Amino acid sequence: MVATLAKTAETTRPEDEHLGLGANLAYGFQHVLTMYGGIVAVPLIIGQAAGLSMDEVGMLITASLFAGGLATMLQTLGIPFFGCQLPLVQGVSFAGVATMTAIVSSGSGLQGVLGAVIVASLIGLLITPIFSRITKFFPPLVTGIVITTIGLTLMPVAARWAMGGNSSAPDFGSKANIGLAALTLGIVLLLSKLGSARISRLSILLSMVIGTVIAWALGMADFSRVITGPIFAPPTLFHFGWPTFSVAATLSMLIVVIVTLVETSADVLAVGEIIGTKVSSRRLGDGLRADMLSSAIAPAFGSFTQSAFAQNVGLVAVTGVKSRYVVAAAGLILVTLGLLPIMGRVIAAIPPSVLGGAGIVLFGTVAASGIRSLSKVDYANNMNLVIVATSLGFGMIPISAPQFYEHFPAWFVTIFHSGISSAALMAISLNLLFNHFRAGNSEQQSVFVAGTERILRYQDIAELHDGDYFLGGRLYDSTGKPVRVTSDH
């Protein structure tokens, strides 16, 4: 009997805890609120770049909610070979925003984006069995560069939103628009400083609500068309047209898919460590396959690449709620919201200036996450600093000079017009060149490397005797006696 109980305790996983329907829905709704701003931002950006109407942008948003909900339930509940069965919320990945915007701007339109996502995701599905063997080529050095570039690439979008969104509008860049954006930004910072932990986590969403109410009171928001369409409607398959396929667009999106695989791998391992459960290589593979299958199917509903949301991994750590059924309930809520087009129209009616104020923090957080990853990189006596500098500089070219590649072939422009693609290709290539193919590397490869070396004064070294050693932060002589270390005073 005792042996049976011990075996049951060993096989019971913390993520399999059932909290009851009410608790699942309550905690699940908290997960939805945490990631809601992020999941609707991507379709807003892509929809505006594609020149869609407010109604069509609303449909794009609800499609992303619906696809994210299905992906979340697949990841948390799982089926054979798909789903890691961990509390991970899935949604539209930020990693592809810049690349998809570049594909839309290149003339391929939204159909070209959907086609590229389908093909690149299917390729990603095929390479998941061997992906665990090549993760060493995507260390924090590479992923940090990519994530930082994603945030920096999105900042011009936030600036355009803050100015009013529509560059042809007479009030574009007006004091009223920028003032509304500044007010929204101020509300985000105020709630983050003065609010409780829960309010602080919801500061982006709450600031958008408050900013929109203020805009409506000032006559800067129009919700008259919100009630003109249906309240409930299932998503229409290929509503935005049949996908078109381009080799260049697919290659560009494939880089995004690889980055997504790296991010999802990190999130799966992180949440496993947080909740204290074992994540085997097979379980990791099941999670990656769920990611890619969801991304390949999402374009049929009008959505894009799906990945785990890192902010929800943080929410699991903060709340201590480990149950995967809580997150599955969040997926069910997302699916329900995706069946309500009116919700999409409400979000699409939010003034761009409000989105701009919140977007500065939202997109800046993405860049800050990348910088945090780069802070963990070792820069001593290697070329990592040069890799970061060159890759970020290469990624900033399309942002600072959008016409830089206008005389190059169309396929080349599609790949390198995106700052994220440019930075990722450079980071991967230079990391391979300097950190994996070490033949020919010298001790001092550049002045940048020399600049990162530690330098000690000769008089400091002269005070040391043979046999002196440091242990636990203290200096000892050859006999083991501690040596006093004093300040200059």
Side-chain angles (χ1 to χ4, degrees), residues 124 127-128 131 256-266 288 292:
I127 67 175
T128 50
F131 189 77
V256 173
V257 165
I258 292 175
V259 172
T260 301
L261 288 171
V262 174
E263 291 178 346
T264 299
S265 298
L288 296 178
M292 292 298 98

Side-chain angles (χ1 to χ4, degrees), residues 20 33 97 199 410 426 455:
L33 292 178
V97 173
I199 291 176
M426 183 62 73
I455 299 176

Side-chain angles (χ1 to χ4, degrees), residues 136-137 383 387 428-442 445:
K136 65 179 181 180
F137 298 120
M383 289 290 288
I387 294 173
I428 293 169
S429 301
L430 293 182
N431 181 54
L432 287 172
L433 178 63
F434 291 112
N435 293 332
H436 291 276
F437 305 138
R438 296 180 177 274
N441 284 6
S442 62
Q445 299 174 62

Side-chain angles (χ1 to χ4, degrees), residues 209-411:
V209 172
I210 297 171
T212 300
V213 171
I214 294 174
W216 176 77
L218 296 175
M220 298 176 66
D222 181 15
F223 289 90
S224 60
R225 298 182 62 184
V226 169
I227 59 174
T228 58
I231 296 177
F232 175 86
T236 305
L237 295 180
F238 298 109
H239 170 80
F240 298 100
W242 289 97
T244 58
F245 304 97
S246 162
V247 174
T250 300
L251 290 175
S252 185
M253 187 56 62
L254 184 58
I255 296 174
V256 173
V257 165
I258 292 175
V259 172
T260 301
L261 288 171
V262 174
E263 291 178 346
T264 299
S265 298
D267 289 334
V268 170
L269 296 174
V271 80
E273 183 177 344
I274 288 170
I275 68 176
T277 194
K278 182 179 180 181
V279 179
S280 62
S281 58
R282 178 173 179 177
R283 200 172 185 185
L284 176 59
D286 289 346
L288 296 178
R289 280 189 287 273
D291 230 27
M292 292 298 98
L293 180 64
S294 302
S295 298
I297 295 175
F301 302 108
S303 189
F304 314 106
T305 50
Q306 306 290 308
S307 71
F309 269 51
Q311 58 263 47
N312 290 86
V313 174
L315 184 61
V316 171
V318 170
T319 62
V321 179
K322 304 174 182 179
S323 174
R324 61 190 173 102
Y325 300 107
V326 165
V327 179
L332 182 61
I333 294 171
L334 288 172
V335 169
T336 304
L337 292 174
L339 297 173
L340 301 173
I342 188 172
M343 294 299 299
R345 293 195 296 272
V346 169
I347 297 169
I350 296 175
S353 296
V354 172
L355 295 174
I360 290 174
V361 180
L362 188 61
F363 302 155
T365 301
V366 177
S369 298
I371 294 171
R372 183 169 57 187
S373 296
L374 290 175
S375 69
K376 302 174 183 178
V377 175
D378 178 20
Y379 296 99
N381 294 322
N382 56 46
M383 289 290 288
N384 287 341
L385 187 65
V386 178
I387 294 173
V388 173
T390 307
S391 301
L392 288 178
F394 199 63
M396 291 301 100
I397 289 177
I399 303 173
S400 57
Q403 309 302 319
F404 191 85
Y405 298 114
E406 65 176 356
H407 298 298
F408 286 73
W411 64 266

Side-chain angles (χ1 to χ4, degrees), residues 16-28:
D16 293 334
E17 181 183 7
H18 289 272
L19 302 179
L21 181 61
N24 284 344
L25 290 175
Y27 288 123

